[in-house]
Amino acid sequence: MKNYKIAVVPGDGIGHEIVPAGLKVVEAVASNHNFKIDTEFYPWGAGYYKRHGEFMPEDGLATLQKFDAIYFGAVGLPEVDDTLPAKLYTFKVRKSFEQYVNYRPVRLLPGIESPLRYKQREDIDFVVIRENNEGEFVQNGEIVNPDTPEGYATDTSLFTRKGIENVANYAFQLAQKRRKKLTNVTKSNTLINSLLYWDTVIAEVAQNYSDVTYNKMYVDNAAASFVLKPETFDVILTTNMIGDILSDLGGAIMGSLGFGPSGNINPEKIYPSMFEPIHGSAPDIAGQNIANPIGAIWSAALMLEHLGEKDAAADIISGIEETTRKQTLTVDVGGKASTSDIADSIVDHLSTKVS
Ligand code: NAI
Ligand code: MG
């Protein structure tokens, strides 16, 4: 029997509610599909920082590296400096483990009415591929003489040929498996060095994928198009910051940020990949068992797919769809179900699949 070693990092806030919901579903699907999940919990994040002065121990990355995958909630607490969570946990893991692809599907689930009132399920089905290791988020800058009239601050973006080629190849290959359309979302008319180079390298890569229709769109237009004509997108390839922002908009058109899943992927599988919902730790609703766990549960499905358990992943997705179709919904989308009710509903659906 296959046995996968999963490092579990619930993080902070609703991480402690949505991650157990996801694991419950994974345990159920594993027994149906004849594999085992060995989980090890790590209590890292902003809460850990309050006690230990760091988001994870010094050997944290070495610890994580031994696992097949990392299942993550979110990090950040209102009372902890909010420049720290990304720097000391999320970006650190993504960068160190060369998870240069951030895979974020946007798909309207059955039974959910999108806030885009004219749009149906067939109109909202695309994937945002966000470059995940460099770009605007390299945190390469400084604040100089802040309290003087000459004060200034910088954050210098960094785009490398290798970084752009890597994520572009992944995105074009994904497009080949989907509807064969790739949109590069850029802003090279104003970021005339970094994003002009980004566009140039992507256009070169595009030459190798003549079966994929390639186009380029500026991010301001793309934001409007998410709302007005989401059906025009298949695979979106974009930068770290633009992808961060657009994928929250993607969550919104799905009806809630709580629906959005993601995978931080090291395609070469040299390092473990990390799977997490797109949202944060939502301290405003934490501790009430009301958070929508579907983004986290869907992220667990992406994790199983990455590990090669495609049928198990598909079963989770159909459990999610069955649950939203029958209107078992959390409060963020107008329902009354709790976080754990959603997990139970999906587990029930899985048990009906066992003969
Ligand atoms: P957030 O995504 O945590 O919350 C934004 C809004 O969406 C809130 O009103 C929240 O209640 C709601 N929401 C989020 N997830 C939900 C869910 N599953 N079900 C129902 N409603 C949900 O973003 P915010 O408020 O900007 O950040 C809160 C903290 O999370 C901050 O400390 C931030 O740094 C951190 N954060 C961490 C991330 C990560 O660990 N990858 C990503 C984004 C933010
Ligand atoms: Mg974000």
Side-chain angles (χ1 to χ4, degrees):
M1 193 188 275
K2 276 207 176 133
N3 197 343
Y4 301 103
K5 285 165 47 205
I6 308 293
V8 180
V9 183
D12 303 298
I14 60 169
H16 295 288
E17 298 155 57
I18 56 167
V19 162
L23 286 175
K24 188 168 186 186
V25 172
V26 169
E27 294 289 348
V29 87
S31 72
N32 290 356
H33 286 270
N34 259 336
F35 62 87
K36 259 196 86 205
I37 291 284
D38 262 351
T39 52
E40 203 71 60
F41 278 74
Y42 296 99
W44 303 341
Y48 187 88
Y49 174 82
K50 290 202 300 188
R51 299 187 298 276
H52 303 278
E54 50 192 1
F55 270 63
M56 61 171 141
E58 221 160 282
D59 62 355
L61 290 171
T63 302
L64 291 178
Q65 195 170 340
K66 297 185 206 111
F67 287 87
D68 295 313
I70 304 157
Y71 187 49
F72 171 47
V75 282
L77 285 175
E79 64 272 25
V80 171
D81 173 0
D82 218 20
T83 63
L84 299 178
K87 186 162 83 183
L88 299 183
Y89 181 76
T90 329
F91 289 179
K92 203 165 154 179
V93 175
R94 290 173 182 172
K95 179 90 186 157
S96 308
F97 292 159
E98 297 178 19
Q99 297 166 346
Y100 59 81
V101 170
N102 194 327
Y103 178 98
R104 298 186 157 196
V106 175
R107 195 152 63 77
L108 188 59
L109 292 166
I112 304 293
E113 204 176 343
S114 169
L116 309 180
R117 74 192 137 115
Y118 301 120
K119 300 299 174 186
Q120 311 302 323
R121 289 195 67 204
E122 61 271 21
D123 300 318
I124 302 177
D125 180 8
F126 58 88
V127 179
V128 177
I129 297 296
R130 160 185 175 190
E131 194 293 313
N132 211 27
N133 280 175
E134 48 182 56
E136 308 88 340
F137 287 169
V138 288
Q139 307 201 321
N140 169 21
E142 56 183 349
I143 303 175
V144 180
N145 300 327
D147 302 322
T148 70
E150 294 76 31
Y152 69 91
T154 62
D155 269 305
T156 308
S157 299
L158 176 72
F159 290 85
T160 65
R161 170 174 283 280
K162 187 163 171 270
I164 304 165
E165 283 177 353
N166 282 344
V167 72
N169 277 306
Y170 183 93
F172 277 101
Q173 285 161 26
L174 176 68
Q176 284 180 319
K177 290 183 225 142
R178 291 178 49 99
R179 299 192 302 274
K180 298 190 167 53
K181 183 171 177 195
L182 186 141
T183 305
N184 164 22
V185 174
T186 180
K187 190 67 184 170
S188 46
N189 54 336
T190 49
L191 294 172
I192 56 170
N193 299 294
S194 58
L195 293 193
L196 194 65
Y197 189 54
W198 164 268
D199 287 0
T200 306
V201 175
I202 291 172
E204 283 173 29
V205 173
Q207 304 285 318
N208 301 327
Y209 299 92
S210 51
D211 54 334
V212 175
T213 306
Y214 168 67
N215 73 320
K216 183 183 94 178
M217 186 183 272
Y218 297 131
V219 59
D220 31 3
N221 181 18
S225 299
F226 263 46
V227 173
L228 298 174
K229 38 184 179 180
E231 67 277 9
T232 57
F233 295 115
D234 179 19
V235 174
I236 290 170
L237 168 59
T238 194
T239 69
N240 208 335
M241 185 166 87
I242 295 176
D244 184 14
I245 298 167
L246 282 186
S247 52
D248 269 33
L249 184 54
I253 68 175
M254 289 159 79
S256 171
L257 256 190
F259 283 136
S262 82
N264 302 280
I265 297 178
N266 172 243
E268 293 77 19
K269 300 193 176 180
I270 298 166
Y271 298 102
S273 293
M274 178 166 71
F275 298 83
E276 56 171 317
I278 65 165
H279 56 75
S281 55
D284 53 335
I285 58 163
Q288 302 172 50
N289 194 26
I290 59 168
N292 184 343
I294 286 184
I297 294 169
W298 191 344
S299 302
L302 297 181
M303 175 171 78
L304 295 183
E305 200 178 331
H306 181 79
L307 293 171
E309 297 293 341
K310 293 197 170 22
D311 294 342
D315 278 2
I316 295 182
I317 302 291
S318 81
I320 291 172
E321 292 183 343
E322 206 46 54
T323 297
T324 56
R325 189 177 285 123
K326 68 178 195 221
Q327 301 292 301
T328 305
L329 304 172
T330 41
V331 285
D332 52 313
V333 275
K336 291 197 177 77
S338 67
T339 308
S340 36
D341 291 339
I342 301 291
D344 291 342
S345 163
I346 295 171
V347 168
D348 282 351
H349 169 79
L350 295 170
S351 63
T352 64
K353 300 204 88 170
V354 189
S355 49

